[in-house]
Amino acid sequence: MNWQAIRSIYTFEMARFFRTLTQSFISPVISTSLYFVVFGAAIGSRIQEVDGVSYGAFIVPGLIMLTVMTQAISNASFGIYFPKFMGTIYELLSAPVNFLEIVLGYVGAAATKALFIGVVILITSAFFVDLQIMHPFAMVAFLLLTCVSFSLFGFIIGIWAQNFEQLQLIPLLVVTPLVFLGGSFYSISMLPPIWQTVTLFNPVVYLISGFRWAFFGISDVPIGLSLLAIAAFSGLCLIAVWWIFKSGWRIRK
Amino acid sequence: MAAILSVRDLIKRYDDGFEALKGVTLDIEKGEILALLGPNGAGKTTLISTICGITEGTSGSVTVGGHDIVKGYRAARSMIGLVPQEINLEPFERVLNTVRFSRGLFGKPKNEAHIEKILRQLSLWDKKDNRIMELSGGMKRRVLIAKALSHEPEVLFLDEPTAGVDVELRKDMWEIVADLKSHGTTIILTTHYIEEAEAIADRIGVIAKGELLLVEEKQALMTRMGQKQLQIDLVEPVTDLPAALGTYDLEITDEGNSVLYTYDTRRERTGITALLAALAKQGMIMRDLQTRQSSLEDIFVGLVAEDAA
């Protein structure tokens, strides 16, 4: 393993993040606060408790997941797309590094940024609602797995994208709807039966449900299934990334 | 001396069937400067990209310092520094950081002293905290060289280092190359400026349409391939050449005041003695004689044209 290279990529990417720390930090705090004002206070005051949890607290896990997923994807996709766009990827390709080292560097940095923002939102939330975390270890595990797997997914998008429009396409057309329909703001038991079944095909449901379980001990789907879902998603992303580097798809001419 | 870089029957065929490299075989010795000359699209960049791992060859093999570039890619690539043709740099990054990054990426431990030495050598030290986008084109090219040198490579590839660069910077670049050579770095550079190859290379390879037409010592190449011209200035101007001189490749120039004789140095007999005797016999009195060696450019144009024919 070329640890030096992993560290170099990681610190180089993190430096980009710290250069724009204010934006990276302030925008999630503001958007989270807005969600709390709109959903928590305005709408939430008219909604009774969901499964014994106040609505304001109920949306916290979903809100964190929502931001973590989108941040992980955008950080990782941009992180690898930018060198492709600028042409600086020649250096990665000619360096004595293998695919695993490149992925560890880029995905590690993207996941760290997403995790950082996730924690910021968690702290912000604590100012609005009383939070309890029943299973802290599970909470951390879910958060970490989500950061990593969605960063991997973002990495794949970044390699696939051939222009800035495509870079935005998947997050906008696929990820945002899946996340919003994944039960961030509601329990899927609130849906009509037919839609409950449809929802079960949305992988994000399993993540949000599992994450919410870590907080309140309540979930829409069994916790084991949630873990399996995220493990399967990470596995698929890893295989895809491995194939990309093996075949040189959209990287090597 | 042992070859530090060895290319064997390297073929690069793209999916659409286009062959960018048609079986290139080349050995480069440690410490030499090889210039690869060729027109645009000849395969110079493809050859470099394949050796450096940016593109994959279709068949054939390449070893660097005895390490195969596929099986031993780590060892092979660690020895190589690449300065690409395009100025590919992150505009918002600072000079020092990008150079540090390159060193780390190639697996070398931190060495600030080495990085300072390179930046000073390339007159970049006082720009070390500048963002890349604040630098001039020439400075950016130096940053690319600094990045390539940051991990102390033994073989340095310079892909058209002076394309679109002003004369002064070009001369600077040549000095940098000479300095690197004096420190034992092997350098392969591509160029389509003949004068560049002529000025700095030890050996010259000519590549056209994916084929390496020849690789030869610069001097030997120029002597071997060189045509020479003998200019004979006459006391009395002439309008026509006597029929007796019809067997010589002669041309009247300078309004009849001189005669130009083109001959091939490769021939055993250049025919100069006989020509001069013949001229004297015709009563043409010579005032002066001078010879001119054809430049590498003439040779190059001749070779590529020959190949195209």
Side-chain angles (χ1 to χ4, degrees):
Chain A
M1 274 306 239
N2 187 344
W3 291 106
Q4 203 74 44
I6 300 172
R7 212 180 66 182
S8 286
I9 297 173
Y10 183 86
T11 47
F12 195 73
E13 283 302 297
M14 289 310 285
R16 197 205 306 284
F17 177 63
F18 286 116
R19 267 206 301 272
T20 54
L21 190 65
T22 332
Q23 289 117 288
S24 319
F25 185 80
I26 291 196
S27 72
V29 170
I30 290 181
S31 58
T32 312
S33 307
L34 285 175
Y35 276 120
F36 274 114
V37 171
V38 176
F39 288 99
I43 298 174
S45 61
R46 290 162 191 257
I47 299 176
Q48 290 177 345
E49 294 186 336
V50 182
D51 302 328
V53 180
S54 79
Y55 186 70
F58 179 83
I59 63 170
V60 170
L63 218 48
I64 295 174
M65 277 295 189
L66 176 81
T67 314
V68 162
M69 285 172 191
T70 47
Q71 283 288 330
I73 289 176
S74 76
N75 287 332
S77 61
F78 188 77
I80 191 68
Y81 178 75
F82 200 58
K84 255 179 37 171
F85 177 72
M86 296 305 302
T88 52
I89 195 155
Y90 84 86
E91 208 178 11
L92 279 181
L93 297 177
S94 62
V97 291
N98 63 20
F99 99 95
L100 191 63
E101 289 149 0
I102 295 179
V103 170
L104 280 174
Y106 279 100
V107 170
T112 308
K113 296 174 207 175
L115 181 69
F116 176 80
I117 290 166
V119 171
V120 167
I121 293 176
L122 185 64
I123 294 167
T124 313
S125 311
F127 287 103
F128 291 91
V129 290
D130 280 335
L131 272 182
Q132 45 158 343
I133 303 171
M134 276 174 78
H135 309 283
F137 287 113
M139 199 270 303
V140 171
F142 263 107
L143 194 59
L144 280 177
L145 273 171
T146 308
C147 288
V148 172
S149 59
F150 277 74
S151 294
L152 275 171
F153 186 55
F155 188 83
I156 296 167
I157 293 174
I159 285 177
W160 166 78
Q162 284 170 316
N163 50 51
F164 276 100
E165 284 74 29
Q166 288 186 347
L167 197 62
Q168 300 294 334
L169 198 70
I170 300 277
L172 269 176
L173 283 185
V174 182
V175 179
T176 310
L178 284 184
V179 170
F180 270 89
L181 299 174
S184 298
F185 299 109
Y186 55 88
S187 162
I188 61 170
S189 61
M190 293 171 171
L191 296 171
I194 173 79
W195 285 108
Q196 286 190 27
T197 315
V198 171
T199 299
L200 291 178
F201 288 98
N202 178 357
V204 177
V205 165
Y206 298 87
L207 301 182
I208 292 179
S209 165
F211 197 48
R212 190 173 283 138
W213 172 85
F215 278 82
F216 311 120
I218 50 163
S219 62
D220 289 327
V221 291
I223 178 69
L225 209 55
S226 289
L227 274 173
L228 202 68
I230 189 141
F233 182 65
S234 310
L236 277 177
C237 290
L238 265 180
I239 291 170
V241 169
W242 172 79
W243 175 81
I244 283 170
F245 276 89
K246 193 168 165 59
S247 66
W249 181 70
R250 298 230 166 146
I251 310 179
R252 267 176 232 274
K253 277 169 275 173
Chain B
M1 262 197 281
I4 194 161
L5 176 71
S6 180
V7 181
R8 287 284 167 275
D9 305 315
L10 189 64
I11 292 175
K12 173 65 187 179
R13 195 180 299 114
Y14 286 98
D15 291 340
D16 60 5
F18 175 70
E19 269 193 352
L21 297 174
K22 297 171 182 163
V24 171
T25 294
L26 174 66
D27 279 310
I28 293 162
E29 288 180 3
K30 194 167 163 43
E32 74 168 332
I33 300 181
L34 178 92
L36 278 175
L37 272 173
N40 288 327
K44 303 185 296 283
T45 301
T46 308
L47 179 60
I48 289 187
S49 299
T50 312
I51 296 170
C52 295
I54 295 169
T55 49
E56 265 174 66
T58 310
S59 68
S61 69
V62 180
T63 58
V64 184
H67 307 285
D68 184 87
I69 56 158
V70 180
K71 288 187 206 107
Y73 73 96
R74 277 196 206 267
R77 291 184 193 173
S78 298
M79 294 175 72
I80 299 177
L82 168 64
V83 181
Q85 196 174 331
E86 311 275 333
I87 295 184
N88 297 323
L89 289 164
E90 290 213 15
F92 307 108
E93 210 44 72
R94 293 183 197 279
V95 173
L96 191 59
N97 266 349
T98 61
V99 179
R100 272 189 194 141
F101 170 73
S102 300
R103 186 175 169 87
L105 189 65
F106 277 74
K108 289 275 158 53
K110 255 192 176 175
N111 185 341
E112 293 297 296
H114 177 70
I115 287 176
E116 179 176 341
K117 196 187 91 189
I118 290 171
L119 290 179
R120 283 191 188 281
Q121 190 182 2
L122 293 163
S123 322
L124 279 172
W125 184 245
D126 53 340
K127 305 268 184 207
K128 66 181 192 303
D129 296 317
N130 283 59
R131 289 183 196 280
I132 302 287
M133 59 185 182
E134 296 161 0
L135 302 180
S136 68
M139 284 291 173
K140 284 179 189 159
R141 212 169 265 285
R142 284 162 193 252
V143 174
L144 285 176
I145 299 178
K147 280 165 79 71
L149 293 175
S150 66
H151 62 276
E152 301 158 66
E154 285 179 54
V155 181
L156 182 69
F157 285 93
L158 294 161
D159 197 358
E160 304 208 4
T162 56
V165 154
D166 65 31
V167 181
E168 202 178 329
L169 187 64
R170 188 172 303 164
K171 294 272 156 61
D172 281 358
M173 204 70 82
W174 295 353
E175 275 173 29
I176 292 167
V177 169
D179 187 48
L180 288 171
K181 180 186 156 73
S182 71
H183 287 90
T185 311
T186 308
I187 296 162
I188 296 105
L189 67 96
T190 70
T191 181
H192 41 228
Y193 296 115
I194 318 281
E195 57 157 342
E196 187 157 280
E198 213 167 338
I200 58 179
D202 298 317
R203 282 201 302 159
I204 289 167
V206 177
I207 188 167
K209 291 184 181 157
E211 279 175 285
L212 198 58
L213 302 178
L214 64 87
V215 187
E216 216 164 307
E217 297 289 330
K218 181 175 63 185
Q219 285 310 324
L221 175 70
M222 290 176 67
T223 324
R224 187 170 76 84
M225 300 294 292
Q227 282 198 319
K228 275 188 113 174
Q229 283 185 322
L230 171 67
Q231 187 183 320
I232 306 154
D233 295 342
L234 303 169
V235 174
E236 302 275 321
V238 291
T239 46
D240 286 308
L241 287 170
L245 298 174
T247 49
Y248 298 96
D249 181 3
L250 290 177
E251 196 187 334
I252 299 174
T253 57
D254 197 17
E255 294 172 340
N257 285 309
S258 23
V259 175
L260 208 58
Y261 172 51
T262 306
Y263 60 99
D264 197 334
T265 52
R266 284 176 292 177
R267 288 217 191 124
E268 207 173 304
R269 288 170 177 274
T270 56
I272 292 175
T273 318
L275 173 69
L276 295 184
L279 282 171
K281 207 173 165 190
Q282 296 295 323
M284 295 162 82
I285 304 163
M286 291 164 265
R287 193 174 53 191
D288 199 4
L289 297 175
Q290 46 185 315
T291 62
R292 193 173 71 84
Q293 172 92 52
S294 58
S295 73
L296 200 50
E297 181 144 9
D298 305 328
I299 299 171
F300 174 63
V301 169
L303 258 178
V304 175
E306 220 170 87
D307 186 58

